[in-house]
Amino acid sequence: MTTSKTASNVAAPTQFLQAAEHGYAYRRFGEGSAWPLLFLQHFTGTLDNWDPAITDPLASGREIILFDNAGVGRSTGPVPPTVAGMAKHALAFLDGLGVATCDVLGFSLGGMIAQQMAQDRPSIIRRMILVGTAPRGGEDIMLLEKPSLAKYLTDANLRGYALLQKIFFAPTESSQAAGAAFIERLAQRKEDRDPRSGPAVAGAQMAAFRDWEKFTGDRFANLRNIRQPTLVVNGIHDEMIHVSNSYWLSQNLPNAVLLTYPDSGHGSLFQFHESFVRHATAFLTSDSAFAPY
Amino acid sequence: MTTSKTASNVAAPTQFLQAAEHGYAYRRFGEGSAWPLLFLQHFTGTLDNWDPAITDPLASGREIILFDNAGVGRSTGPVPPTVAGMAKHALAFLDGLGVATCDVLGFSLGGMIAQQMAQDRPSIIRRMILVGTAPRGGEDIMLLEKPSLAKYLTDANLRGYALLQKIFFAPTESSQAAGAAFIERLAQRKEDRDPRSGPAVAGAQMAAFRDWEKFTGDRFANLRNIRQPTLVVNGIHDEMIHVSNSYWLSQNLPNAVLLTYPDSGHGSLFQFHESFVRHATAFLTSDSAFAPY
């Protein structure tokens, strides 16, 4: 267990862990007396998609653990086609690291994995931050064929980070400016970068989204078993995973505070990174049994 | 303009202001460099319905101004049957006090008055906190005949504060315990209390709610003109004014953060008073043009 002395996602070396017959790529940096914080990443995102404006301030006070799930970045494959399969990998990874309990920040797909982990092994999560994500049985989840997204995704001039700026931020001057700043921050890391995700990653993750929309029996009943204090965060104009999913989360999780940000989309945490870090810090620093912070 | 040396709603003397041919009852206490904070009260509530656990900590840092609208408590009547009429009184009161700009905390009916004031005279409000309230054109606003409310309102054994505990807090052990503590705090003030509101107040205020539900043209379009940084707060199980109204507020106000609390109803700010005061303080202390704090 090595903690990088360079407590920044711009410079922290990528490490590799062999566990459960898989090789997992991860970065671990920061220190402090608070619980370690595991970051679970969005659709096609790698270690290099974590904004240092979020990871670095949170790393002063706690260990940050960034993690490539199976088949993503430099972790060995294949990518499971279900959230449950991805949660198994995250648990195997934490077991391999020797982390028995931690806090979790799950963004988008990562938030679904966090919910699944909380159900599969409640003891492993102390407090949970769910950003831009959806409960099982949610709606309007990653419908890339929607006109509001398709117009960017089918634009041959938009690739990589430029595309991310369009689809993660709202179509306002202020939000796009925040998106441009976000992209610049991601580009600060020059070496030891993950390979970009290709169609195989995207295909399996999209299958996981379609499966996650399905539910049987009492809709959202599974959320009522998740007792961990939870902070749900969403940009109010999120086109990728509609904010109504965060309403369902906060209405059905028994112990969740909801925070929504104006003038922002899927990447609200990156747009309002200073505010987000303040809220996340206050929430994670609390040791109350109740979510309000 | 007298500021009470006793910076608490338990002890601050009630004062009276003559303005625009009305006599307005109010309390003013606290001091500090932040902007004055005007409190606008809920259905049938008087100066004595403001929880000292909210008013007193906020009074260390700023002046708090509690206000009985026309016809309520010891302010002269009649109670206007529209929110617009109530907003006129609040503006006349601030003019009489000589307050040209302030922050506003509007709870329930008071939140509607705050929105109306922001439209009628934008310069008078710097930042706004809207708790348990609804936009014009909202739904499920104070439907007292709903079974979930009528079962308490028609119970002859429940009167005054005991009724308030039932309808302002969620039907869980933890929320009802918080309600009991709230009632105890309200009862701390022994002298110089307002008379309770009677049927004339309730009738005119209910007429104002029914009018507030009506809208013409583009629903919620009026919210897009309110540029003030706004913090919207709601208990997730609010039976008096459904949380969906806070969703509409945060989706249509261009500059609003939404915060919802779990395990709570209309009185979420009183249940989680320590958290609410922290958030309100952080929000009000900010001088950013943007709502996120």
Side-chain angles (χ1 to χ4, degrees):
Chain A
M1 286 198 289
T2 310
T3 296
S4 166
K5 281 176 182 147
T6 313
S8 166
N9 195 33
V10 176
T14 306
Q15 302 181 59
F16 300 90
L17 175 79
Q18 196 67 26
E21 299 175 18
H22 276 267
Y24 297 113
Y26 69 104
R27 295 183 194 141
R28 189 174 187 177
F29 53 92
E31 58 184 341
S33 58
W35 293 82
L37 177 61
L38 175 70
F39 280 59
L40 296 173
Q41 189 58 291
H42 64 78
F43 175 66
T44 69
T46 68
L47 301 175
D48 300 325
N49 287 86
W50 285 118
D51 185 349
I54 298 291
T55 57
D56 299 2
L58 287 170
S60 86
R62 61 185 57 70
E63 274 192 335
I64 298 297
I65 304 171
L66 313 182
F67 164 61
D68 275 335
N69 211 304
V72 177
R74 281 169 280 177
S75 287
T76 59
V79 176
T82 64
V83 169
M86 297 173 190
K88 278 202 182 74
H89 281 289
L91 291 170
F93 167 71
L94 289 174
D95 288 343
L97 274 188
V99 171
T101 301
C102 63
D103 293 335
V104 175
L105 190 166
F107 175 35
S108 192
L109 176 61
M112 301 170 194
I113 298 170
Q115 293 170 63
Q116 187 70 50
M117 291 167 70
Q119 304 215 320
D120 292 349
R121 202 193 299 173
S123 63
I124 209 157
I125 300 184
R126 189 194 67 117
R127 291 193 150 225
M128 189 158 66
I129 303 178
L130 302 177
V131 186
T133 190
R136 176 171 279 283
E139 288 174 15
D140 200 348
I141 299 171
M142 297 294 290
L143 301 178
L144 304 186
E145 68 280 17
K146 281 197 304 189
S148 57
L149 292 174
K151 68 178 170 185
Y152 299 123
L153 291 161
T154 58
D155 183 341
N157 294 319
L158 288 173
R159 285 280 178 268
Y161 282 166
L163 175 61
L164 207 57
Q165 178 180 332
K166 289 292 182 192
I167 62 179
F168 268 36
F169 294 83
T172 63
E173 197 177 328
S174 44
S175 189
Q176 285 298 310
F182 163 68
I183 295 312
E184 280 183 25
R185 292 193 298 270
L186 290 189
Q188 284 179 297
R189 187 180 179 100
K190 302 293 183 196
E191 294 175 4
D192 179 26
R193 291 179 64 96
D194 267 346
R196 280 192 192 168
S197 297
V201 173
Q205 291 183 338
M206 287 304 296
F209 288 129
R210 296 291 79 82
D211 176 75
W212 189 249
E213 291 168 337
K214 296 176 193 160
F215 67 98
T216 54
D218 188 9
R219 195 180 187 192
F220 307 129
N222 60 323
L223 296 177
R224 285 167 219 143
N225 302 322
I226 299 181
R227 309 297 312 185
Q228 279 89 347
T230 302
L231 173 60
V232 179
V233 178
N234 219 119
I236 204 75
H237 305 297
D238 191 334
E239 288 290 340
M240 307 199 72
I241 299 185
H242 194 271
V243 65
S244 55
N245 291 289
S246 282
Y247 300 157
W248 283 318
L249 283 170
S250 51
Q251 285 173 339
N252 292 282
L253 286 167
N255 198 8
V257 165
L258 169 66
L259 181 72
T260 75
Y261 282 120
D263 184 43
S264 56
H266 204 51
S268 68
L269 73 172
F270 308 131
Q271 179 165 348
F272 295 109
H273 55 89
E274 290 181 353
S275 169
F276 178 80
V277 167
R278 272 195 294 272
H279 283 272
T281 301
F283 173 74
L284 295 174
T285 304
S286 169
D287 56 7
S288 167
F290 300 98
Y293 58 96
Chain B
M1 289 195 288
T2 311
T3 298
S4 167
K5 281 179 183 145
T6 313
S8 166
N9 195 33
V10 176
T14 306
Q15 302 181 61
F16 299 90
L17 174 79
Q18 196 68 27
E21 300 175 17
H22 276 267
Y24 296 113
Y26 70 103
R27 294 181 195 142
R28 189 173 186 177
F29 52 92
E31 58 185 341
S33 57
W35 292 83
L37 177 61
L38 174 70
F39 279 59
L40 296 172
Q41 188 58 290
H42 64 78
F43 175 65
T44 71
T46 69
L47 301 175
D48 299 326
N49 287 86
W50 285 119
D51 185 350
I54 298 292
T55 57
D56 299 3
L58 286 171
S60 84
R62 62 183 56 71
E63 274 192 333
I64 297 297
I65 304 170
L66 312 183
F67 164 60
D68 275 336
N69 210 304
V72 177
R74 282 169 280 177
S75 289
T76 60
V79 175
T82 63
V83 169
M86 298 172 189
K88 276 202 183 71
H89 280 291
L91 291 170
F93 167 71
L94 288 175
D95 288 342
L97 273 189
V99 171
T101 301
C102 63
D103 293 335
V104 175
L105 190 166
F107 175 35
S108 192
L109 176 61
M112 300 169 195
I113 299 170
Q115 293 170 63
Q116 187 71 49
M117 291 167 69
Q119 304 214 319
D120 293 348
R121 203 193 299 172
S123 63
I124 209 157
I125 300 182
R126 189 194 67 117
R127 293 194 149 226
M128 189 158 65
I129 303 178
L130 302 177
V131 187
T133 192
R136 176 171 281 283
E139 287 173 17
D140 201 347
I141 298 171
M142 298 293 291
L143 301 178
L144 303 186
E145 69 280 14
K146 281 197 303 190
S148 58
L149 292 174
K151 68 178 171 185
Y152 300 124
L153 292 161
T154 59
D155 183 340
N157 295 319
L158 287 174
R159 286 279 177 271
Y161 283 166
L163 175 62
L164 206 58
Q165 179 179 333
K166 288 293 182 192
I167 62 179
F168 267 35
F169 294 82
T172 63
E173 197 177 328
S174 45
S175 188
Q176 285 297 309
F182 163 68
I183 296 311
E184 281 183 26
R185 292 194 298 270
L186 290 189
Q188 284 179 298
R189 186 181 179 100
K190 303 294 183 195
E191 295 175 3
D192 179 26
R193 291 179 63 94
D194 267 344
R196 280 192 193 166
S197 298
V201 173
Q205 292 182 339
M206 287 305 297
F209 288 129
R210 296 291 78 82
D211 175 74
W212 189 249
E213 290 168 338
K214 296 175 191 159
F215 67 98
T216 53
D218 189 9
R219 195 180 187 191
F220 308 130
N222 60 322
L223 296 178
R224 285 166 220 146
N225 301 322
I226 299 180
R227 309 296 313 183
Q228 279 90 346
T230 302
L231 173 60
V232 178
V233 178
N234 218 117
I236 204 76
H237 304 298
D238 191 335
E239 288 289 341
M240 308 199 72
I241 299 185
H242 194 272
V243 66
S244 55
N245 291 290
S246 282
Y247 299 157
W248 283 316
L249 282 170
S250 52
Q251 285 172 339
N252 292 283
L253 285 167
N255 197 8
V257 165
L258 170 66
L259 181 73
T260 75
Y261 282 119
D263 183 43
S264 57
H266 203 51
S268 67
L269 74 172
F270 308 130
Q271 179 165 347
F272 295 108
H273 55 88
E274 290 181 353
S275 169
F276 177 80
V277 167
R278 271 194 295 271
H279 284 271
T281 300
F283 173 73
L284 294 174
T285 303
S286 169
D287 55 8
S288 167
F290 299 99
Y293 57 96

